Amino acid sequence: MPEPRKGFRTPTALPAAVAAAVALTLAAPLAPSATATTPARPAAAAPGAAAPGAGTTLIYDKNPSAPTDSRLSVYRDGKLQATYRAGSGIGVKDDCARNKGWMPDGNWRIKLKSRTYDGNVIKGHAVYLQDMKCSKGTVTRTEMFLHSEMNRDGSSGRSEARRWDGPSDYRSNGCVKLNPTDIKKMFRLLDRIGWPTHLRVVP
């Protein structure tokens, strides 16, 4: 897991702002989503995976000072389980900027999770999210994922889109992006403690 950067809040107990996000995540009804492209060949659930966890919360805490150096945290019953470095967008903080702005704040319903996702661009470990309008309501952000850069089987590929080269790869078209090691750790953790129904994105 990456070391937390200087000045960035890394909670050991649940801070007030995140506690509010946890409460909203657990209480929120499933939001209606716009029609999205049918995901490509999702994998079956892992054998022995835990049932969806009502007490599990996944929170993406955006860093305005460095959007590609934000944090994705997993909580279980209000207790921090893990924190990973993650990025969204290419450094643009306008969430209505399609294909370059960071992810809009809100409660994103998880539509699908797969270790062997086989999309045209995204491969391997991926979490597919609902569509959602941006903060101004002018653009609907679609094809939003938590993902990394890898081959479908989780291995590192030869092309730039299939291999992780370093910090510059936290940049994305708006999806939340983790390095391959961390997204695999996150999948193992959530399989064990239970998957949330939503990703909560907070400023």
Side-chain angles (χ1 to χ4, degrees), residues 35-180:
T35 301
T37 305
T38 302
R41 289 183 280 173
T56 303
T57 311
L58 188 60
I59 297 177
Y60 181 60
D61 190 0
K62 298 191 293 190
N63 177 15
S65 299
T68 60
D69 193 8
S70 298
R71 292 296 181 269
L72 181 69
S73 298
V74 179
Y75 292 87
R76 176 69 184 176
D77 297 330
K79 295 180 181 179
L80 180 66
Q81 303 296 311
T83 298
Y84 312 103
R85 179 179 174 178
S88 173
I90 60 172
V92 175
K93 291 180 281 187
D94 178 2
D95 63 31
C96 294
R98 194 190 303 275
N99 295 328
K100 59 183 180 180
W102 64 3
M103 185 175 283
D105 298 345
N107 213 30
W108 293 75
R109 180 168 56 89
I110 294 174
K111 298 177 67 175
L112 174 146
K113 52 188 181 292
S114 174
R115 282 181 168 78
T116 55
Y117 191 81
D118 194 22
N120 292 331
V121 177
I122 296 170
K123 305 279 187 182
H125 288 61
V127 178
Y128 185 37
L129 304 171
Q130 71 176 92
D131 299 343
M132 186 181 288
K133 287 187 179 295
C134 68
S135 58
K136 298 174 187 176
T138 55
V139 171
T140 297
R141 301 297 297 271
T142 64
E143 300 299 316
M144 302 296 274
F145 289 80
L146 278 72
H147 70 95
S148 187
E149 292 186 359
M150 60 180 70
N151 291 324
R152 187 187 179 198
D153 64 0
S155 63
S156 178
R158 295 183 178 181
S159 67
E160 198 284 326
R162 299 284 172 265
R163 69 172 188 268
W164 191 268
D165 293 325
S168 64
D169 283 332
Y170 285 104
R171 294 161 61 95
S172 74
N173 290 339
C175 296
V176 174
K177 206 168 173 190
L178 297 89
N179 72 48

